[in-house]
Amino acid sequence: MAHARISASLPPDIDPTKAPIAFGRRALPKLREELHSPELLTQQRALMALCDLVHDPENVYQAIEIGFLDNLKTLLLHRDSTVRQKTTEILCIMAMHNVGRQGLIQNGVISALTELLDDPVDICRKNTHQIFEMMAKLYEGAVDILRAGLIPLLVFKLETEPDEIQELILDTLSNSLRVEASEALATGAVIILKEKLTHSSVAIRSKAAWVLLEIGTHAEGKGVLCEEVTPALVSLLEDSDPQVQASAAGALMFATVKPQGRFSALAAEAIPPLLKLVAEETIKARLSAIKTLTMLAELPEGRKTLLDHIDTFQQCLNDPCEAVKRAAKIAISVIKWKPC
């Protein structure tokens, strides 16, 4: 299914070839002056020149040192959409460099970017979400996103944004919720993520399952997964895409830590598709499937069923992955356990 792509093309009256010629550090102070110009075209051209310069981390460091980020934070609210587009593009490029990410954190750029979540121009919002996605990969960036109160906003945006922005939001959430999930749970994120498990996009289904996995790593999240999404995750174990299957198996692994999750998974007939995944090529899928089946074997009904499939686990004892071999050994011992 084809989807419209968000275009980064500039308006036809803006000619980037007429931007000032940049000479590294010497150009930066002049460009900063031009950003204060009352002439819109001068501002636009200065931003285009800066956009070229910040591909070099040395220039990023210099730009931060002379205070460019204060100017860029102000320009995020500019009335002109081209200025906002180029400003977010510059910040996005800066966030690709470690020195840039640190600068964005130290200068409060993440909080300033929240103003653009409702920008009428798609590319401005896309650039904004790309910045959040890159920042969330850093622990400090994820913490900053949490402190800025972005989680509820990002969760709600999953229901209105186009697919490519939804993918960015899901990536941001998976990294941020690794740190803390309580705010997402209070927002009802699990219900919205459950809806995404049936999305037509493979990437969105897979990423939504991965966010649920991160929620499940927290004690309060496991209970919500048990109650809300276990059957939906079981259905994804037979998805046409291996990545979706692996993500679903990982989320189900955490959901079945609690007894009610195990009962729910058994009721949803999770054992047959999980046994198929044990033979999958993807290490992540095999490992998650074995660990989930081990937890299901702790229930008498699950143990009884899995006793007929010991050979499946014994084959994994020769797996090239040590983690898979260890998991299979534990699974066999749990399945063969007999009460005294």
Side-chain angles (χ1 to χ4, degrees):
M1 181 179 177
H3 297 283
R5 305 297 295 178
I6 296 173
S7 173
S9 299
L10 294 169
D13 59 326
I14 305 299
D15 184 359
T17 63
K18 294 182 180 178
I21 298 174
F23 294 100
R25 295 183 179 185
R26 288 177 293 167
L28 289 170
K30 183 176 184 298
L31 290 176
R32 192 177 182 211
E33 289 178 14
E34 291 177 349
L35 291 182
H36 292 285
S37 170
E39 295 293 329
L40 177 60
L41 195 56
T42 301
Q43 288 182 315
Q44 292 172 338
R45 288 176 175 170
L47 286 167
M48 287 175 210
L50 182 60
C51 198
D52 289 334
L53 283 171
V54 294
H55 283 89
D56 184 340
E58 289 288 334
N59 291 331
V60 174
Y61 175 80
Q62 180 71 6
I64 293 170
E65 283 293 297
I66 64 176
F68 255 105
L69 287 176
D70 287 336
N71 300 99
L72 295 173
K73 283 164 62 178
T74 300
L75 292 175
L76 289 173
L77 301 178
H78 201 284
R79 58 181 172 79
D80 180 67
S81 62
T82 301
V83 169
R84 297 197 308 276
Q85 175 182 338
K86 297 309 292 185
T87 301
T88 53
E89 186 177 337
I90 290 165
L91 291 170
C92 196
I93 296 168
M94 292 177 78
M96 295 177 184
H97 307 291
N98 184 58
V99 64
R101 290 191 291 271
Q102 295 297 333
L104 266 60
I105 291 170
Q106 292 165 10
N107 287 270
V109 174
I110 289 177
S111 295
L113 283 164
T114 59
E115 300 289 341
L116 271 73
L117 289 177
D118 293 315
D119 196 285
V121 180
D122 285 358
I123 187 60
C124 292
R125 299 196 314 279
K126 181 183 176 184
N127 288 342
T128 298
H129 285 290
Q130 283 181 317
I131 297 166
F132 290 152
E133 186 267 339
M134 286 186 281
M135 297 301 295
K137 291 176 181 177
L138 282 181
Y139 174 80
E140 303 97 314
V143 169
D144 226 18
I145 286 169
L146 290 162
R147 286 176 178 167
L150 270 169
I151 299 302
L153 299 174
L154 294 176
V155 168
F156 292 135
K157 286 296 178 183
L158 283 173
E159 300 195 283
T160 58
E161 288 290 10
D163 288 1
E164 57 186 303
I165 292 181
Q166 287 187 47
E167 290 181 33
L168 292 168
I169 292 172
L170 290 167
D171 284 336
T172 301
L173 288 172
S174 66
N175 285 304
S176 300
L177 299 186
R178 189 172 302 160
V179 178
E180 172 62 55
S182 57
E183 199 171 17
L185 291 169
T187 307
V190 171
I191 299 300
I192 294 172
L193 290 165
K194 180 182 177 182
E195 294 172 2
K196 298 301 173 184
L197 295 178
T198 56
H199 198 282
S200 59
S201 163
V202 167
I204 289 177
R205 293 200 304 275
S206 177
K207 290 174 187 290
W210 196 258
V211 177
L212 288 167
L213 182 155
E214 295 296 351
I215 289 175
T217 62
H218 300 278
E220 68 270 32
K222 290 180 176 66
V224 179
L225 291 191
C226 296
E227 297 168 9
E228 301 288 350
V229 295
T230 300
L233 291 171
V234 171
S235 68
L236 282 189
L237 295 175
E238 297 184 282
D239 192 273
S240 58
D241 186 82
Q243 187 60 47
V244 175
Q245 293 176 344
S247 297
L252 194 62
M253 177 180 66
F254 286 103
T256 52
V257 168
K258 286 183 173 285
Q260 62 264 43
R262 295 171 208 158
F263 286 116
S264 182
L266 279 179
E269 300 183 350
I271 289 179
L274 284 170
L275 285 169
K276 289 180 183 178
L277 288 183
V278 172
E280 267 291 326
E281 293 183 6
T282 309
I283 291 175
K284 186 167 66 174
R286 291 204 306 278
L287 190 57
S288 296
I290 292 170
K291 289 184 176 182
T292 305
L293 287 166
T294 302
M295 285 182 276
L296 296 182
E298 293 184 2
L299 297 177
E301 183 184 344
R303 189 181 305 114
K304 180 181 178 181
T305 302
L306 290 169
L307 275 169
D308 295 329
H309 299 278
I310 289 292
D311 288 349
T312 301
F313 298 95
Q314 287 177 331
Q315 289 172 10
C316 293
L317 296 177
N318 298 316
D319 197 280
C321 175
E322 285 297 325
V324 171
K325 286 196 281 191
R326 285 196 301 271
K329 186 176 180 179
I330 293 169
I332 291 169
S333 66
V334 172
I335 293 168
K336 288 185 172 182
W337 177 83
K338 292 181 181 180
C340 297

